[in-house]
Amino acid sequence: MADSSFDIVSKIDRQEADNALNQARKELEQRYDFKGTGVSIEWSGEAVLIKANSEERATAALDVFQTKLIKRGISLKSLDSGEPQASGKEFRIVSTLKEGISQENAKKIGKIIRDEGPKSVKSQIQGDELRVQSKSRDDLQEVQRLLKAADLDVDLQFVNYR
């Protein structure tokens, strides 16, 4: 019998992220506490740029965007937001959406699988994802449960389950 395997990845549905941004923009335009305050949220290349006339309004706009991301099923672990920066008369927050598993996080995940997972399971790093193999599908499911329970600072998905 051939080995069973799956891949561990960290990806974001760009369309859902765009929808969340558009919903946040509409809410910021319509809410009475943001009317006439110059609050805006938009894509700036791969990053999201939030502008406001005060630090509190900028963080409130970020909170609205985070709420929309959660409703769209995107984990906040994949959102990397900076602190509000003063730029002239306005405050800016630059947030990026992280995709892929860094080498450092991949090594942490591999170590968790080796130390706490079933002994028949092998993992190997392939670029920005991990491939996990075993003869037993039950062992693979145990690894998935183990990684879901682990408190990692990266959003994980399990794909290509064979």
Side-chain angles (χ1 to χ4, degrees):
M1 189 171 110
D3 282 2
S4 299
S5 68
F6 68 88
D7 293 335
I8 303 172
V9 297
S10 179
K11 293 199 177 179
I12 298 170
D13 186 351
R14 285 285 173 188
Q15 186 61 48
E16 289 296 336
D18 195 41
N19 289 344
L21 185 114
N22 289 332
Q23 285 179 337
R25 181 183 305 123
K26 282 183 182 177
E27 183 171 327
L28 292 174
E29 290 170 359
Q30 293 174 351
R31 270 180 44 178
Y32 71 94
D33 54 337
F34 286 111
K35 287 247 194 240
T37 59
V39 174
S40 69
I41 182 170
E42 61 197 23
W43 286 108
S44 174
E46 288 292 309
V48 175
L49 180 63
I50 298 172
K51 298 180 194 173
N53 62 0
S54 75
E55 190 173 344
E56 292 78 23
R57 287 220 171 86
T59 54
L62 177 63
D63 189 47
V64 169
F65 180 53
Q66 289 174 339
T67 304
K68 298 303 178 187
L69 285 174
I70 291 169
K71 285 185 179 176
R72 287 274 174 193
I74 297 175
S75 172
L76 292 183
K77 289 180 180 179
S78 58
L79 182 69
D80 187 20
S81 298
E83 293 296 315
Q85 302 288 325
S87 174
K89 292 184 177 180
E90 66 185 9
F91 286 84
R92 296 175 175 214
I93 298 177
V94 177
S95 301
T96 55
L97 294 168
K98 298 184 288 188
E99 282 194 305
I101 301 173
S102 68
Q103 287 293 321
E104 173 186 322
N105 284 328
K107 288 178 184 176
K108 277 186 202 171
I109 294 168
K111 183 169 175 26
I112 289 171
I113 292 171
R114 272 193 317 276
D115 294 348
E116 301 172 31
K119 296 299 175 208
S120 67
V121 176
K122 297 184 292 280
S123 68
Q124 65 188 60
I125 300 171
Q126 297 179 338
D128 61 350
E129 59 185 47
L130 264 90
R131 163 95 18 112
V132 180
Q133 294 177 321
S134 175
K135 292 206 181 294
S136 166
R137 288 180 175 238
D138 292 340
D139 288 350
L140 292 179
Q141 290 174 342
E142 180 61 34
V143 168
Q144 288 181 356
R145 279 194 292 277
L146 180 70
L147 291 177
K148 285 178 184 174
D151 186 30
L152 300 166
D153 58 343
V154 65
D155 183 35
L156 300 177
Q157 292 92 29
F158 307 107
V159 296
N160 292 340
Y161 190 76
R162 298 186 180 124

